[in-house]
Amino acid sequence: MRQIALAGVVIGVALAVGGCATSSPDVVQRGDAQRMSLVEDGVILSVRNITIDGSQSGVGTAAGGVIGAVAGSSIGGRRDSIVGGVLGAVVGGMIGNAVERQGTREDGIELLIELKGGERRAVVQSKGNDALYPGDKVIIVTTGGKVRVSRAP
C-alpha cells in the first residue's frame, strides 16, 4: 500500500512539472517580464492547426523508473526481486516518458504572416484565447528570441 502511495506522489509531481512548459501566447515567462520587446505589424495570410509535441524533460522517465523499480522489487525472493526491480525500472521509465510526452502535448497553430514591408514570417504557437483568422491584423512580439502573435489593438 505504501508503494502505491509513493507511486501516486511521484506521478503527480512528474505531471505537474511537465505541465509547466507551454508555448501559449497568453502565458509570458517570468524572465520576459519587464523587458523591452520588438513589435512588428502584420496580416495573417493563413492559419493551420497543428499539434505541438510533448516535452521529454526526463522527469517522466525518472519517475516511471523509480515506480517500476519499487514495484518490480516486490516480486518473489531476493534474486527475483533484483531482476524484477531492474526490469520494472526499464519498463516504468518507458511508460513514464510516454506519459510525460502525452501530458505535455498541446494543440497549436502555424501562422503565415505578411509584414508591412512585404516580408513573410511563419510562427508556431499554442492556441491562445483569441481565435486568429486569415486577414486579421496582428502584432508579432519578439522578446529574447521568443515570438508570440496576438490580434492588433
Side-chain angles (χ1 to χ4, degrees), residues 63-144:
V66 169
I67 293 166
V70 169
S73 67
S74 64
I75 297 171
R78 184 174 182 198
R79 176 172 280 166
D80 292 340
S81 69
I82 292 171
V83 172
V86 170
L87 291 175
V90 171
V91 172
M94 291 169 48
I95 292 170
N97 182 37
V99 167
E100 180 183 9
R101 281 187 74 189
Q102 191 63 35
T104 57
R105 185 172 276 185
E106 298 179 73
D107 290 331
I109 52 175
E110 179 184 58
L111 303 167
L112 182 59
I113 302 166
E114 185 170 344
L115 303 178
K116 282 191 171 184
E119 291 183 55
R120 294 180 177 182
R121 299 284 189 265
V123 177
V124 172
Q125 67 184 28
S126 178
K127 286 186 177 177
N129 291 330
D130 289 335
L132 299 171
Y133 302 100
D136 284 352
K137 292 182 179 184
V138 293
I139 56 170
I140 303 170
V141 180
T142 305
T143 307

Side-chain angles (χ1 to χ4, degrees), residues 39-44 130 132 136-140 149-153:
V39 179
E40 298 176 273
D41 295 309
V43 176
I44 295 180
D130 289 335
L132 299 171
D136 284 352
K137 292 182 179 184
V138 293
I139 56 170
I140 303 170
V149 177
S150 60
R151 193 176 311 281

Side-chain angles (χ1 to χ4, degrees), residues 9-22 55-60 63 100 103-104:
V9 169
V10 172
I11 288 174
V13 169
L15 290 175
V17 170
C20 293
T22 182
S55 66
Q56 292 180 286
S57 68
V59 173
E100 180 183 9
T104 57

